[in-house]
Amino acid sequence: MVERALQVAIIIGSNRNGRFAPAVGRWFTRLAEDHEGLRPEVIDLGNLDVPSVLGLPDACEPLSAATAVLDRADGFVVLTPEYNHSFPGTLKNFIDLHDSQWRAKPVGFVSYGGRAGGQRAVEHLRQVFAELHAMTIRETVSIHNPWGRFGADGHPDDPKASGAAKAMLDQLVWWGRALRDARAVRPYGT
């Protein structure tokens, strides 16, 4: 029996002008597309009008297509830069505008930034996703000082990055299948 591919939403969490996120996103998305058992869909917050005021009745209307991707996803990968020792505000708004979509699903992280490689942003995101009843993946992809370190082929010059991505995706597939099976048998309640 062939197991159904895991639907994974890759969320590119930066929307700044001149952002480096598209380069990291293209590289990682290609790896995810080639990874056995995954069917990725990309949500790029740089292409969305994420409301800055939460709780308004029409706040989620501009996000309806992205919300549909989250609804059908079995798991997520959040790609984030590190801004001032944390993650972007637009990413926080996007996360907060959704709730049930995250529950009992795995979340992996790809981060980039200066010397810390975005790791402080990931630590903050772990706390947010724990509150939303999501399961965060231990293995992460962290790219330190990425500017000018991606070759013409679109790959980072650090060969460890692809190995880290494979390890994280392997764990994401395992947790994604386990949690998908569990939700099918017993719906998750809060």
Side-chain angles (χ1 to χ4, degrees):
M1 181 176 94
V2 177
E3 191 159 9
R4 180 174 60 91
L6 202 68
Q7 295 287 130
V8 175
I10 299 172
I11 302 160
I12 299 176
S14 174
N15 69 338
R16 279 190 179 177
N17 289 333
R19 65 198 174 123
F20 195 73
V24 179
R26 283 188 299 274
W27 165 74
F28 182 77
T29 300
R30 282 193 302 269
L31 292 177
E33 289 169 345
D34 292 342
H35 196 280
E36 186 176 340
L38 290 180
R39 182 175 297 136
E41 289 186 82
V42 175
I43 299 171
D44 186 345
L45 300 189
N47 297 331
L48 294 177
D49 183 20
V50 178
S52 60
V53 179
L54 305 179
L56 297 175
D58 297 328
C60 289
E61 184 56 37
L63 303 179
S64 60
T67 299
V69 172
L70 297 180
D71 281 335
R72 67 179 162 261
D74 299 307
F76 312 97
V77 175
V78 176
L79 189 150
T80 185
E82 182 176 312
Y83 296 159
N84 302 317
H85 288 221
S86 194
F87 59 94
T90 298
L91 177 56
K92 179 69 162 97
N93 287 352
F94 180 78
I95 293 167
D96 288 348
L97 284 165
H98 299 89
D99 183 47
S100 62
Q101 290 82 4
W102 311 115
R103 290 185 190 151
K105 296 179 183 179
V107 181
F109 301 101
V110 175
S111 65
Y112 65 93
R115 284 185 273 171
Q119 294 175 12
R120 293 173 290 217
V122 169
E123 290 309 310
H124 289 175
L125 281 164
R126 287 186 190 282
Q127 295 172 39
V128 171
F129 280 109
E131 184 63 22
L132 294 167
H133 299 261
M135 165 63 204
T136 61
I137 303 300
R138 184 198 178 283
E139 296 296 327
T140 61
V141 180
S142 177
I143 303 172
H144 304 262
N145 297 308
W147 307 277
R149 297 191 61 196
F150 275 63
D153 63 355
H155 294 277
D157 62 10
D158 181 359
K160 293 178 186 174
S162 293
K166 182 184 179 325
M168 186 268 287
L169 289 170
D170 286 346
Q171 284 187 1
L172 185 74
V173 168
W174 191 92
W175 279 106
R177 287 177 176 163
L179 291 171
R180 180 175 65 192
D181 292 349
R183 289 190 314 273
V185 172
R186 186 174 296 113
Y188 183 79
T190 58

